[in-house]
Amino acid sequence: MIVAIIAVLLVVCGVALYRSMSVNRSATEDAPQSEQAAHDALRRVKVKPSLADDQGGILISKNGYGSRIDDVPTVGMYLEPLCPGCALVSRTLDPTIKSMLDAGQINLDLHFMTFQDYKSSDEYSTRAFNAAVTIAQQDPNPDHLLGYLMNIYAQDFQPGELGEYRSVTDDRLKQQALDAGVDKATVDKAFDGQTGTGHG
């Protein structure tokens, strides 16, 4: 049963991400052209979140950050704040993923991406996910990070793209984090204008 659910999760996530990324190919012509080149570029980054692994992922299990449970599958999720496909996956599958995570049936490997920043007028993706990284670094409860991610993907919150984008203030993003249970000091640090990677 778990294997079947994981397979469905991977297919849905893959299709959603592919559809979103295929629209953006012309805007990323100068990006690394192979998986190996991308990994090499990632390894050259000097300042990284302390929780990130060598692939840039942040691992979560029922035991918290960075504590992989043996003998269960690891589900990798590649997320972008403006991506409609990512939001659809979140709204559809997050309750199931959270339930399986809490039961110790999966590990979750989160990868934060900002390839749609150009579709906003104010670097929305970068601001939203710098905050996510800071929350992960400063708040030991992964439920708060997962709650924040669900909140920014909520249908009544996630902004549109390009001509449909309406500026989202830091205060509105802060509220999504507060509503997820993140304490105010961490929320303020998440939006202090720093990159998030240096916190920890």
Side-chain angles (χ1 to χ4, degrees):
M1 179 67 175
I2 292 174
V3 173
I5 292 172
I6 296 295
V8 170
L9 291 174
L10 293 176
V11 168
V12 172
C13 291
V15 168
L17 189 59
Y18 172 78
R19 290 173 117 183
S20 180
M21 290 183 74
S22 64
V23 174
N24 296 288
R25 283 189 184 137
S26 62
T28 57
E29 289 176 355
D30 59 344
Q33 296 300 307
S34 72
E35 184 177 344
Q36 185 59 50
H39 289 172
D40 290 344
L42 182 62
R43 279 191 287 274
R44 287 193 297 271
V45 174
K46 293 195 183 331
V47 180
K48 301 176 188 173
S50 61
L51 290 174
D53 60 25
D54 60 359
Q55 303 296 311
I58 295 177
L59 183 81
I60 300 172
S61 76
K62 74 170 186 175
N63 297 328
Y65 287 112
S67 299
R68 186 182 302 276
I69 297 177
D70 294 331
D71 303 321
V72 301
T74 296
V75 175
M77 296 190 72
Y78 292 78
L79 309 172
E80 209 293 341
L82 275 178
C83 166
C86 299
L88 178 61
V89 170
S90 174
R91 294 170 201 152
T92 305
L93 298 179
D94 278 353
T96 300
I97 290 171
K98 182 70 169 63
S99 175
M100 295 175 75
L101 187 66
D102 290 345
Q105 296 173 316
I106 61 170
N107 301 301
L108 188 60
D109 189 26
L110 298 176
H111 293 260
F112 299 135
M113 306 173 74
T114 58
F115 61 85
Q116 296 210 121
D117 238 352
Y118 77 97
K119 291 186 176 181
S120 73
S121 58
D122 53 9
E123 297 185 318
Y124 173 78
S125 296
T126 294
R127 290 185 296 118
F129 273 177
N130 276 349
V133 170
T134 303
I135 291 166
Q137 295 286 122
Q138 297 291 319
D139 186 328
N141 186 344
D143 286 349
H144 295 162
L145 172 64
L146 296 174
Y148 169 71
L149 296 174
M150 288 186 227
N151 288 348
I152 65 173
Y153 282 132
Q155 195 156 9
D156 62 354
F157 182 83
Q158 188 191 35
E161 307 169 279
L162 297 172
E164 295 182 6
Y165 180 76
R166 299 295 175 265
S167 184
V168 178
T169 64
D170 283 353
D171 284 343
R172 289 189 63 211
L173 282 165
K174 284 182 178 183
Q175 191 60 53
Q176 302 313 301
L178 291 168
D179 290 348
V182 183
D183 68 86
K184 187 176 185 306
T186 298
V187 170
D188 287 342
K189 183 173 280 192
F191 293 93
D192 67 2
Q194 304 302 310
T195 63
T197 58
H199 300 310

